[in-house]
Structure formats: C-alpha cells, structure tokens
C-alpha cells in the first residue's frame, strides 16, 4: 500500500502493464523524455526504452491510425491524446475505424487499444483543453468509455482497460490529477469494466455521477446526512456501455434520482441515465429524475469556468427539489 | 545476382531530397552584411523602425512573462528568440491581409491591429479578447495545431473568388504543426485552387519537448511544399531583413495571382513552450541552447545600427520605457473589463435562440440578478 495521487496511480498502472506484457506500447506527443505534459508517463521511457515508450510526430490522426496498424501486428497500443479537445483530428480512427473492426471483420480481428486523454474543467486551461466530450464518444458502438473518480479506480480501471481486447477510451480528470490522494495497493489489481460502483449507500435518493462530480456528490450527501437525509451515490465508472442493473437497483431502493454531469446538458450521459430510468424504472419513481449539468453553450473561456461548471450547491438544490417534489 | 544495380537508386534519391533549400540570409550573426543590395534599399530610419519592432516584441515578452508570474495573465506562449521571424514576416504584410494566427502569434496580431489589452484578455480567458472589430482582418489565435492552415486556404480562395486585388491570407504554424494532415491539406488546397496564401512555418526547433529531427525525416520543412506544387524557401529566422524581404516577395507573388507560397524560418524558442509548467531542462542542454542565445536576432541589428551611429543604449532605454508604459496602461484597461455573463454566452450560441437556450437564459438571469 502507498499513498498515491490519481496521476501517480495512472503511472503505476502503466508501469506495471509495460512490465508484465512486452506487447504494450505507449506513444503520443511528448510522452517520452518529457514524461507527458502532466508527467503521467514520467520515467517510463527511461525504464522501458524508446522502443516501448516513444514520441510521435504531432498528428492525432496519425496516432489513431498507427494504433490500429500496431494492433493488427499483435501489439497493445496505449496512445495518449494530449487533451481531449484534440480528438477531433483522430475521430475517424476512433469512431470510423477501430471501434468497428471487430464487427466488420466478423469477430476475426480485435483492437486492444487504450486511448488515454485528460479532460474536465476547473483548472483554467485555454480553449479546447477542458471540454467534456464523453457524450460524443459514448455514442460510438464498440468503444468503451471509462472514467475513474479516484486513485484506486484510476489504477484498477486502467489495468482492466489495457488488458481488454476491445478499444477503450480512458478519460482522466484534469482537476483530480493532483487534488486527491488515496492508499492503493502497490501490485497490479483490476477494477471491473462495465460496472458502476455504489460509493455510498443511502435510502432516500440516488445521485448518479462520474469523475469529478462523484466527489461533489459525496460532499452533498455528507451535508444532507446531518439533516437526516440518506443519499446513495453511484459512480458510473464506465459511461458506455451503461451499467443498467446497478442504476436501476439503486433507484428501486430510493425511488428518487438525480443524474449529474459536467458536460453541456443536451444529449449527454445524464440524459442517457434519465432515459434509462424513465424506460425501465418509471414505476420505482416517486418524483421525476433530476438533472444537473452545464448549460448548452460552447465550453466557456477560463475566467467564466467557475460560473459555468455545475457547482456543489447546484447539486444540493436539485437534490432537495427532487426530495421535496 | 546480388551486386546487380537496382533499376532505381533510392538511397541516392533520398540523399538528394531537400538539398536545394539553402537558408536566405542578409546579415549574419556577427552583423556582417552578406547581401549589400538588400541593406542599401533601406534608409537608416527604416532600419531603426525594424529594430524597434523587435525590441517592442522582446519587451512585450518580458512584461507578459512577469505578468504570468504574478497571476495577471493566464495562458502565455513565450516569443523570445522569434522576434525576427515574427516581426520580419508580419511587417511585410498589409493591414488588409487576413492573418490566421496560432497561440504564439500574439505579437503579429497586435501589430496587425489587436489592442494590447485585448490580447491580455484573451490570455486570461475573457471573451472580450476575442471580439475583433470588422476592420481587424484576423481571427483569434488558433489552439488546434494546423487548423489555421486549411482555414487560410479557404480565406485565400474567398479572396480570389471575390476578385479582391492586392490581398492575401497568411498563416503561421510551428515545426510540429507541419506533421498535421491539416498542414498538407491547407497547402494542397491553396495550390490546387491557386489561391493567394502565404504559409509561414516558424521552425523554432521544438514542438513542446519533441525536437525537429523526431518530427520528420525530411531534410527541410520547406521541401514539404514541393508535393503541393507550390514554391517554398528556407530563411535565416534570426535575420529580420532576410525574413522581411522573403515574405515581401512571397506576398507580391501570391497577390499577383500566382498561387500560394510557403516560407520556413529557422529560429529558436529561447524559453519554455508555455508558462504552464513546461521545463526545457527536461529535453534540452545548455550546450545546445547557447549558440542560439548568441544568435539572438536583436544582437546583429543592434550592433549594425550602433556602428552606423543611429542607435544607442540610451535610445533603447527610452524606447523600452515607452513600451512598458503602454503595456501598463493596457493591463489597467484589461483589469476594467466587465465580468462575463452566462446569459451573454447563451445568447451567442445561436443567432436565434431555440427554446432550450431561452429557458437556460431565464434560469441564469435569475442567478445573475442575485
Ligand atoms: C491538434 C493539437 N494537438 C496537440 C496540441 C498540443 N500542443 C500545443 S502546442 C504543441 C506543440 C506545437 O509545436 P510547434 O508546432 O512546433 O509550434 P511551437 O509551439 O513550437 O511554436 C502541442 C503538441 C494542440 N494544441 N493541438
């Protein structure tokens, strides 16, 4: 056991997987000598050599296509896209190609690719550096979208993703990188994909969140506990495909739900959660499903980020509204 | 047979690639004039103005650096070392030309007409920094590497279709940017449409930590234009007059309807990639940096003009004080910008508000009136 930050947990997972499977490869912009712009791959090139951990030319479309080709040659690529806002250059490789390969080859080829990318707001980055694009990614069949909310999950989910034979988009929250520490095992362990996690049990209402919003939701739950309100918090962990069972089971127990996301409101993950509950859990409900999100604008400029991102008090207000419905 | 000659000698072809590109120079690092004809075209006053442009950029850089450290700027990409490349090229363009800049091209944007306080607001993350008057022919700095190149091709085609005379689109990217598909597509489109674009590659040695030699096996970046069928040139990017003259010639060629041009400037980024945690010590050595520092673009022109008796330390100090005072006033103006409102953001998503946006405007109006 050691106390590790979220980003150290990620480095840990990468080091262990590089060490245990020589077919794993890390590549991307600045991941080599520099250890990545956030230092997620720090020291890995020195330890495993330039053959296993290498810088690519500055071209995301190239990074995507390279991953597909390497997978066809039996490697397990772990490419890094420096910021999620830069995936548009590589979406053909991701949405148009790698996520369809198993399907279009009748199950005869697989794409064991784990694309890592930081995202999420609140650190005052320039344009295109913080955007929450997980909603776009979640509509791609054949692609898993995974995002951890704490260091323990970061390590275990990343190892599961790397070992999985299908493409995974692994989203790392920028604000969480260094803002929390936790005791995690030093050895390799896995956290299952496609499974949501009940991070806090409760009986009155379910808050369904992911990534940084899980921690905000937990704070709201603690606050309401002092008033005798029992809040259950579900961490989605895998955003696509959704773990319907865990969500529905929780709503069956509490009868009320709020879905929370940092992204814009329209067509996002929270909308998926709400529609799932409406479709399969309507009879459990004693109130409509609440939603907390950012507004439907383009991602705002740095100075306005704090007003734009859903804040703890917005989660609290929505939770109370649904409780008092 | 083993020693039979192959039908094509690929090694020889590879070794010859890009050999024709020799950097254009007007004045060398020791202030020796290597192209007298160019220097004598200019009066001492004009040469002093050119030096002032570089000193202005250096001063802006130093103040911006200090302001970021004080937390009074947000995102900042240092420009020290690139003054000849940036000011030399930009000063050859006209204010009616359309500039498609990247994040390191703030000095060019300001010289093209962007008020300094707006540049600071852009850095801080305020939309007012992006509200450009109609007669400022430029877009806000591009963050997505390469995107500005294809857009410049589009602007250039628009200029051609509109039949506008004596006008070009020009754009900058770095050495790293030349790896993006958009870079090739931009040049290829502009070439195919014979559109008036000037593409400038500022080869400052690094894309964050990745050195130019790992970016491509091409001997020069200038040769990348060959495949698009457009002329290109490599120029000493620490040599103001060389960059200026080459860009001026490129502009005239493109504006005359001959199609696009590409210019590679050989320069160096003295500092970190940005002020947000990049540490060049991780990927560069002092031994590599020093010759470039000695080749500072300000040194040769300062020396030349001092030798001519038209420049001195006192003149320079007075000028720097004046620039600093302007920058101070700009910071004050930026400080006075009103707070950004979510209702205004929502109002700017579409020209006509659909109902979801209308609802959200109402919600945020309630919050903002509290
Ligand atoms: C599409 C895209 N990918 C990655 C980045 C991250 N990034 C910002 S600057 C940079 C290096 C750019 O190097 P270069 O083109 O040489 O220009 P320089 O910054 O040296 O002027 C990278 C990788 C980005 N902004 N956009």
């Amino acid at each position: 056991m050691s106390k590790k930050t979220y980003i150290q947990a990620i480095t840990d997972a990468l080091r262990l997987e590089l060490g245990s499977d020589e077919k794993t490869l890390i590549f991307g912009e600045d991941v080599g000598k520099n250890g990545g712009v956030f230092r997620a791959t720090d020291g890995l090139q020195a330890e495993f050599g330039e053959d296993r951990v290498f810088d690519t030319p500055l071209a995301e479309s190239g990074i995507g296509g390279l991953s597909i080709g390497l997978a066809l040659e039996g490697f397990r690529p772990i490419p890094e896209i420096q910021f999620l806002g830069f995936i548009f250059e590589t979406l053909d490789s991701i949405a148009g190609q790698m996520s369809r390969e198993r399907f279009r080859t009748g199950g005869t080829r697989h794409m064991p690719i784990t694309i890592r990318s930081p995202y999420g707001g609140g650190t005052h980055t320039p344009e295109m550096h913080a955007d929450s694009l997980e909603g776009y990614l979640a509509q791609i069949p054949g692609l898993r979208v995974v995002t951890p909310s704490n260091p323990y999950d970061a390590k275990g989910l990343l190892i599961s993703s790397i070992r999985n034979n299908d493409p995974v988009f692994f989203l790392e929250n920028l604000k969480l990188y260094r803002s929390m520490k936790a005791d995690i095992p030093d050895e390799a362990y896995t956290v299952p994909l496609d499974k949501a996690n009940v991070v806090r049990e409760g009986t009155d209402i379910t808050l369904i969140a992911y990534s940084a919003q899980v921690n905000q939701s937990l704070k709201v739950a603690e606050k309401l506990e002092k008033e005798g309100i029992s809040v259950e918090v579900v961490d989605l962990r895998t955003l696509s495909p959704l773990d319907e069972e865990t969500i529905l089971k929780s709503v069956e127990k509490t009868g009320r739900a709020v879905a929370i996301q940092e992204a814009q409101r329209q067509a996002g993950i929270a909308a998926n959660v709400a529609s799932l509950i409406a479709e399969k859990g309507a009879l459990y409900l004693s109130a409509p499903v609440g939603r907390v999100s950012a507004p439907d604008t383009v991602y705002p400029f740095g100075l306005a980020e704090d007003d734009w991102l859903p804040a703890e008090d917005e989660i609290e207000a929505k939770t109370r509204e649904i409780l008092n419905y | 047979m083993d020693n039979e000659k192959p039908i094509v000698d690929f090694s020889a072809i590879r070794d010859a690639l890009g050999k024709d590109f020799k950097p254009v120079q007007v004045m060398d690092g020791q202030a020796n004039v290597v192209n007298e004809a160019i220097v004598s075209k200019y009066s001492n006053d004009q040469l002093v103005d050119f030096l002032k442009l570089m000193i202005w950029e250096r001063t802006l850089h130093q103040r911006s650096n200090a302001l970021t450290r004080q937390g009074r700027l947000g995102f900042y990409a240092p420009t020290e070392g690139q003054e000849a490349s940036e000011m030399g090229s930009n000063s050859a363009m006209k204010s009616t030309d359309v500039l498609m800049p990247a994040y390191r091209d703030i000095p060019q944007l300001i010289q093209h007409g962007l008020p300094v306080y707006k540049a600071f607001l852009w850095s801080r993350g305020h939309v007012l920094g992006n509200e450009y008057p109609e007669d400022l022919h430029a877009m806000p700095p591009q963050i997505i590497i390469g995107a500005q190149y294809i857009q410049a091709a589009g602007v250039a085609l628009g200029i051609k279709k509109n039949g506008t005379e004596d006008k070009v689109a020009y754009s900058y990217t770095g050495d790293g940017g030349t790896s993006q598909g958009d870079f090739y597509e931009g040049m290829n489109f502009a070439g195919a449409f014979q559109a008036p674009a000037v593409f400038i590659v500022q080869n400052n040695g690094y894309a964050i930590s990745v050195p130019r030699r790992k970016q491509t096996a091409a001997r020069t970046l200038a040769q990348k234009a060959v495949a698009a069928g457009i002329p290109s040139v490599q120029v000493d990017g620490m040599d103001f007059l060389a960059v200026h003259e080459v860009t001026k010639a490129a502009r005239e060629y493109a504006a005359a309807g001959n199609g696009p041009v590409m210019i590679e400037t050989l320069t160096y980024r003295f500092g970190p990639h940005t002020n947000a945690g990049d540490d060049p010590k991780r990927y560069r050595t002092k031994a590599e940096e020093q010759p470039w520092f000695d080749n500072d673009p300000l040194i040769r022109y300062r020396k030349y003009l001092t030798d001519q008796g038209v420049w001195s330390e006192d003149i320079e100090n007075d000028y720097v004080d004046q620039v600093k005072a302007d920058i101070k006033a700009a910071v004050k103006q930026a400080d006075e910008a009103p707070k950004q409102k979510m209702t205004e953001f929502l109002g700017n998503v579409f020209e006509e508000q659909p109902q979801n946006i209308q609802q959200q405007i109402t919600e945020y109006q309630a919050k903002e009136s509290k």
Side-chain angles (χ1 to χ4, degrees):
Chain A
M1 284 287 205
S2 323
K3 270 228 174 322
K4 295 245 158 94
T5 60
Y6 185 95
I7 194 163
Q8 285 167 336
I10 286 163
T11 313
D12 236 27
L14 294 172
R15 178 178 292 110
L16 287 163
E17 291 311 283
L18 282 172
S20 67
D21 183 350
E22 62 176 28
K23 288 293 187 186
T24 50
L25 298 174
I26 291 177
F27 51 87
E29 294 155 13
D30 304 286
V31 300
K33 223 182 217 179
N34 213 30
V37 293
F38 294 103
R39 314 280 177 252
T41 54
D42 202 13
L44 299 182
Q45 185 177 70
E47 193 174 339
F48 295 96
E50 269 203 66
D51 274 352
R52 305 279 309 283
V53 180
F54 54 93
D55 289 326
T56 62
L58 204 179
E60 290 75 18
S61 171
I63 293 170
L66 196 76
S67 306
I68 295 170
L70 284 164
L72 288 172
E73 275 298 299
F75 290 92
R76 306 186 82 80
I78 315 172
E80 176 180 294
I81 298 295
Q82 206 161 70
F83 285 91
L84 189 60
F86 312 154
I87 51 160
F88 295 105
E89 331 300 297
T90 188
L91 269 184
D92 176 50
S93 281
I94 297 168
Q97 310 292 333
M98 70 175 74
S99 58
R100 305 161 67 100
E101 296 297 17
R102 180 178 301 287
F103 180 86
R104 68 186 278 263
T105 60
T108 59
R109 297 287 183 282
H110 53 241
M111 290 281 130
I113 301 167
T114 303
I115 309 156
R116 300 177 35 250
S117 190
Y119 82 121
T123 59
H124 304 282
T125 55
E127 271 185 289
M128 305 298 288
H129 283 69
D131 298 38
S132 289
L133 307 178
E134 63 274 18
Y136 300 29
L137 296 171
Q139 206 178 10
I140 302 171
L143 180 75
R144 282 193 172 75
V145 183
V146 173
T147 187
S149 67
N150 59 68
Y152 181 88
D153 284 3
K155 181 167 172 179
L157 284 171
L158 183 52
I159 292 179
S160 297
S161 301
I162 295 170
R163 293 183 185 174
N164 187 277
N165 273 340
D166 288 309
V168 174
F169 208 111
F170 192 84
L171 294 163
E172 302 169 4
N173 191 283
L174 263 172
K175 202 169 179 180
L176 296 183
Y177 264 161
R178 293 193 164 82
S179 64
M180 66 193 309
K181 274 195 167 185
D183 258 327
I184 59 170
D186 293 324
E187 62 281 1
Y189 62 91
T190 58
V191 167
L193 301 178
D194 308 342
K195 281 303 272 174
N197 186 24
V198 180
V199 284
R200 183 191 167 102
E201 305 244 7
T203 50
D204 296 332
I205 188 165
T206 305
L207 303 187
I208 301 152
Y210 56 95
S211 195
Q213 298 302 323
V214 172
N215 303 295
Q216 299 229 70
S217 302
L218 283 170
K219 284 188 200 149
V220 171
E222 277 158 32
K223 186 167 177 198
L224 295 184
E225 187 184 56
K226 298 197 183 98
E227 298 170 27
I229 301 166
S230 168
V231 179
E232 179 146 308
V233 179
V234 173
D235 177 355
L236 289 174
R237 282 178 168 164
T238 297
L239 308 184
S240 176
L242 275 183
D243 174 4
E244 302 194 349
E245 212 181 300
T246 305
I247 296 168
L248 291 170
K249 222 168 101 190
S250 177
V251 178
E252 184 176 10
K253 179 165 75 169
T254 63
R256 293 170 199 267
V258 178
I260 301 147
Q261 68 179 18
E262 216 176 276
Q264 290 86 343
R265 191 176 186 78
Q266 54 195 20
I269 304 293
N272 269 358
V273 170
S275 81
L276 164 76
I277 299 171
E279 191 185 3
K280 298 190 180 165
L283 296 182
Y284 307 146
L285 291 175
S286 352
V289 180
R291 260 201 292 167
V292 180
S293 71
D296 288 322
T297 74
V298 172
Y299 202 92
F301 302 98
L303 283 179
E305 230 181 357
D306 294 340
D307 296 331
W308 188 87
L309 288 167
E312 216 176 292
D313 59 359
E314 286 174 60
I315 301 175
E316 185 186 329
K318 185 53 85 176
T319 308
R320 288 185 192 278
E321 181 192 322
I322 301 301
L323 279 164
N324 298 328
Y325 183 81
Chain B
M1 272 179 289
D2 271 359
N3 54 0
E4 198 181 310
K5 271 205 167 159
I7 188 165
V8 182
D9 184 350
F10 288 110
S11 302
I13 294 176
R14 185 200 55 208
D15 292 345
L17 288 176
K19 264 203 169 136
D20 300 339
F21 291 88
K22 301 247 164 18
V24 175
Q25 199 177 49
V26 170
M27 195 187 286
D28 72 14
Q30 279 69 52
N32 302 311
V33 174
V34 297
N35 189 331
E36 189 61 56
I38 297 292
V39 178
S40 54
K41 268 175 47 179
Y42 293 100
S43 70
N44 277 339
D45 281 352
Q46 283 172 311
L47 293 176
V48 163
D49 285 343
F50 288 159
L51 177 63
K52 277 184 168 174
L53 276 176
M54 289 201 283
I55 293 173
W56 169 80
E57 178 169 333
R58 180 67 54 92
T59 310
L60 178 70
H61 161 80
Q62 286 164 346
R63 291 308 303 145
S64 302
N65 233 353
L67 289 165
T68 11
R69 269 199 302 273
Q70 295 162 15
R72 305 188 71 188
L73 285 187
F75 174 79
Y76 174 64
T79 56
E80 193 178 28
Q82 298 188 214
E83 291 86 355
S85 172
E86 298 196 336
M87 290 298 101
S89 53
N90 191 75
S91 59
M93 311 310 285
K94 297 196 170 169
S95 62
T96 43
D97 293 338
V98 182
L99 168 59
M100 304 297 278
Y103 49 83
R104 208 180 299 283
D105 305 320
I106 310 304
Q108 297 99 298
L109 258 176
I110 295 171
Q111 288 297 335
H112 206 60
L114 182 71
V116 179
Y117 84 95
K118 284 200 175 239
F120 290 160
L121 284 172
W122 172 79
S123 164
R124 291 177 185 183
H126 197 298
V127 68
L128 262 183
N130 285 17
E131 288 181 24
Y132 290 8
E134 235 170 87
D135 61 357
L136 173 51
H137 303 283
M139 281 301 279
Q142 179 58 251
I143 292 294
I144 295 302
I145 312 265
Q148 70 275 26
Y149 257 52
I150 26 173
Q151 293 171 15
V155 173
L157 180 58
I159 291 170
K160 184 175 172 174
K161 283 189 181 297
N162 279 327
T164 321
E165 277 178 26
D166 194 32
K167 178 170 171 168
V168 305
Y170 69 114
S171 186
Y172 293 86
T173 191
D175 39 299
T178 68
S179 296
Q180 288 281 11
D182 283 358
F183 167 83
Y184 300 100
E185 292 176 34
M187 283 200 300
N188 193 53
F189 271 40
F193 294 122
Q194 289 291 290
V198 176
F199 297 110
I200 300 159
V201 175
Q202 296 201 70
N203 174 359
N204 65 6
Y206 285 86
I208 311 188
S209 70
V210 181
R212 144 75 180 85
R213 68 172 185 284
K214 291 201 174 173
Q215 206 58 244
T216 171
R219 186 190 291 254
T220 67
L221 301 178
Q223 77 200 69
K224 293 192 172 201
V226 173
I230 70 178
S232 57
V233 65
Q234 211 180 34
V235 56
D236 178 350
M238 306 307 245
D239 183 347
F240 184 100
L241 281 185
V243 177
H244 182 82
E245 280 294 307
V246 161
T247 313
K248 209 163 130 238
R251 188 195 176 280
E252 274 162 21
Y253 173 90
N258 297 303
V261 178
M262 192 262 252
I263 300 166
E264 176 190 2
T265 69
L266 298 171
T267 179
Y268 199 72
R269 145 165 72 74
F270 286 1
H273 169 69
T274 70
N275 279 5
D278 176 52
D279 177 10
K281 282 202 283 296
R282 292 179 78 96
Y283 52 84
R284 294 200 311 215
T285 60
K286 270 259 153 329
E288 180 203 303
E289 288 172 342
Q290 197 54 51
W292 282 103
F293 294 163
D294 297 340
N295 200 16
D296 187 324
L298 274 67
I299 294 177
R300 62 184 88 170
Y301 286 97
R302 193 189 272 132
K303 180 172 185 324
Y304 179 81
L305 292 171
T306 307
D307 290 349
Q308 302 293 307
V310 293
W311 194 254
S312 69
E313 218 177 298
D314 285 346
I315 303 177
E316 181 154 336
N317 288 340
D318 284 349
Y319 178 62
V320 168
D321 285 346
Q322 182 196 322
V323 175
K324 280 185 182 162
D326 292 348
I327 293 173
K328 199 170 166 188
V331 173
K332 187 161 178 282
Q333 205 176 351
D335 289 345
E336 284 159 5
K339 192 172 182 300
Q340 300 178 101
K341 282 193 178 156
M342 225 39 71
T343 42
E344 279 171 31
F345 281 159
L346 281 158
N348 285 337
V349 175
F350 292 107
E351 186 174 20
E352 285 169 33
Q353 273 84 54
Q355 43 175 325
N356 68 319
I357 301 274
Q358 273 170 14
Q359 271 168 22
Q360 292 174 29
I361 289 177
T362 313
E363 274 170 40
Y364 278 93
Q365 260 163 356
K367 283 185 196 171
E368 283 166 4
S369 62
K370 267 186 209 156

